[in-house]
């Protein structure tokens, strides 16, 4: 495999070679909502916890997906914010 990659001109350095392609692949899948378990299997990791520890910083949209899933479950179509009151200002402030 190394010979074929070298022949194709793919750099073999860890920072910009095949290892980087693995990170791009994993981060793309996670960004699009694939599960850690699935990504772990695709990368050949024996422990999904390792995958999570390695790529957790690439999952910033998970809170948005969570809200969307719960809203869908509860059939929420819109959210109206309550007017600011003295009590809510104390809680939020």
């Amino acid at each position: 495999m190394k010979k074929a990659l070298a022949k194709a001109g793919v750099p073999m350095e860890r920072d910009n070679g095949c290892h980087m392609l693995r990170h791009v692949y994993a981060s793309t899948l996670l960004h699009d909502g694939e599960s850690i378990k699935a990504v772990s299997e695709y990368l050949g990791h024996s422990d999904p916890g390792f995958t999570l520890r390695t790529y957790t910083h690439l999952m910033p949209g998970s809170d948005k997906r969570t809200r969307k899933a719960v809203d869908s479950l509860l059939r929420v179509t819109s959210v109206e914010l309550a007017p600011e009151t003295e009590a809510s200002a104390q809680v939020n402030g």
Side-chain angles (χ1 to χ4, degrees), residues 82-93:
E84 187 73 24
T85 65
E86 187 176 320
S88 64
Q90 289 175 356
V91 170
N92 295 327

Side-chain angles (χ1 to χ4, degrees), residues 23-35 38-39 42-43:
H23 284 292
V24 170
Y25 175 68
S27 60
T28 299
L29 293 176
L30 292 170
H31 177 77
D32 286 343
E34 185 61 85
S35 73
V39 173
Y42 302 153
L43 295 176

Side-chain angles (χ1 to χ4, degrees), residues 18-88:
C18 289
H19 193 76
M20 179 60 112
L21 290 176
R22 284 176 57 87
H23 284 292
V24 170
Y25 175 68
S27 60
T28 299
L29 293 176
L30 292 170
H31 177 77
D32 286 343
E34 185 61 85
S35 73
I36 283 287
K37 185 175 185 313
V39 173
S40 179
E41 290 175 9
Y42 302 153
L43 295 176
H45 294 163
S46 60
D47 175 18
F50 173 80
T51 310
L52 181 59
R53 288 186 301 276
T54 303
Y55 294 102
T56 192
H57 66 285
L58 298 174
M59 302 172 61
S62 63
D63 57 336
K64 186 176 179 181
R65 286 192 306 272
T66 299
R67 281 194 303 274
K68 185 177 176 182
V70 171
D71 287 350
S72 176
L73 174 68
L74 299 175
R75 294 179 176 30
V76 173
T77 57
S78 66
V79 176
E80 292 181 32
L81 297 176
E84 187 73 24
T85 65
E86 187 176 320
S88 64

